[in-house]
Amino acid sequence: EAHGELRLLSRDGSWRWIEGTYKNMLFDPNVRGIVINYRDVTGRKMAEQQLERLAYRDSLTDLPNRFLFHDRVQHAIEQSRRRGRGLAVMYIDLDRFKIVNDTLGHSIGDRLLQIVGGRFSALLRREGHLRAAAVASHRKRARGRRRRATGSRR
């Protein structure tokens, strides 16, 4: 018996994931054939991809979060040791971001984070990585202060 998954292009131009098993039953006198079972698992694959995205990306900026950042930094450290090269990590903080949230509102603060994140993403080389954990922590701290001040439970 064998098991596998395939990605196939359907007639409508969309990609579908197919999961299948087959079993050689040529020697079974009642069957004398190969039994193949398959099913479309595109929905499951899409849900898995979405869960992975939620686990490793900031939902507002779509930048890598601290978990993905940590994984990439560990990988980069190992790679730099193997190659005998240096490694640089740059930390960028948005000064006075709390003032933007407090005076202009959180929707403007969120939009600012999206714009800044988009600009940094556009500047980085393909191998470069940008981390949203600091951005996300600024947002959470600012919202936490707002909730305590207003009594909101959002």
Side-chain angles (χ1 to χ4, degrees):
E1 188 168 318
H3 175 82
E5 291 181 345
L6 299 170
R7 192 174 83 142
L8 304 172
L9 186 60
S10 68
R11 287 183 184 158
D12 68 3
S14 65
W15 288 96
R16 309 300 296 175
W17 281 95
I18 305 299
E19 175 184 71
T21 60
Y22 77 91
K23 186 171 185 175
N24 182 351
M25 299 189 72
L26 290 170
F27 302 106
D28 184 327
N30 295 321
V31 179
R32 292 194 178 157
I34 297 174
V35 176
I36 301 172
N37 289 301
Y38 63 91
R39 63 184 173 153
D40 186 335
V41 292
T42 304
R44 186 193 80 209
K45 286 295 222 179
M46 291 174 69
E48 288 171 358
Q49 290 172 351
Q50 180 65 19
L51 284 173
E52 185 173 332
R53 181 160 224 74
L54 291 171
Y56 295 111
R57 298 265 173 191
D58 178 72
S59 61
L60 178 67
T61 63
D62 200 38
L63 296 173
N65 64 16
R66 73 182 68 206
F67 302 112
L68 184 56
F69 175 76
H70 182 266
D71 178 68
R72 299 281 169 85
V73 166
Q74 291 300 321
H75 178 73
I77 289 170
E78 292 167 10
Q79 195 173 44
S80 69
R81 285 183 182 152
R82 279 194 309 269
R83 295 180 178 176
R85 292 184 177 174
L87 173 69
V89 175
M90 180 171 55
Y91 177 80
I92 299 171
D93 186 26
L94 294 178
D95 289 340
R96 300 178 188 89
F97 178 73
K98 182 184 179 319
I99 295 171
V100 171
N101 268 343
D102 290 348
T103 59
L104 301 175
H106 292 278
S107 62
I108 299 297
D110 287 352
R111 186 67 189 128
L112 174 63
L113 294 176
Q114 290 170 328
I115 290 168
V116 170
R119 287 183 181 178
F120 278 117
S121 293
L123 292 173
L124 289 173
R125 292 188 326 241
R126 192 170 185 182
E127 309 85 46
H129 301 288
L130 192 58
R131 175 179 165 235
V135 169
S137 68
H138 278 300
R139 198 170 61 240
K140 286 179 186 171
R141 278 185 279 167
R143 286 190 176 145
R145 283 192 278 280
R146 181 187 67 168
R147 279 187 218 120
R148 285 191 297 276
T150 63
S152 172
R153 300 190 103 228
R154 183 176 162 220

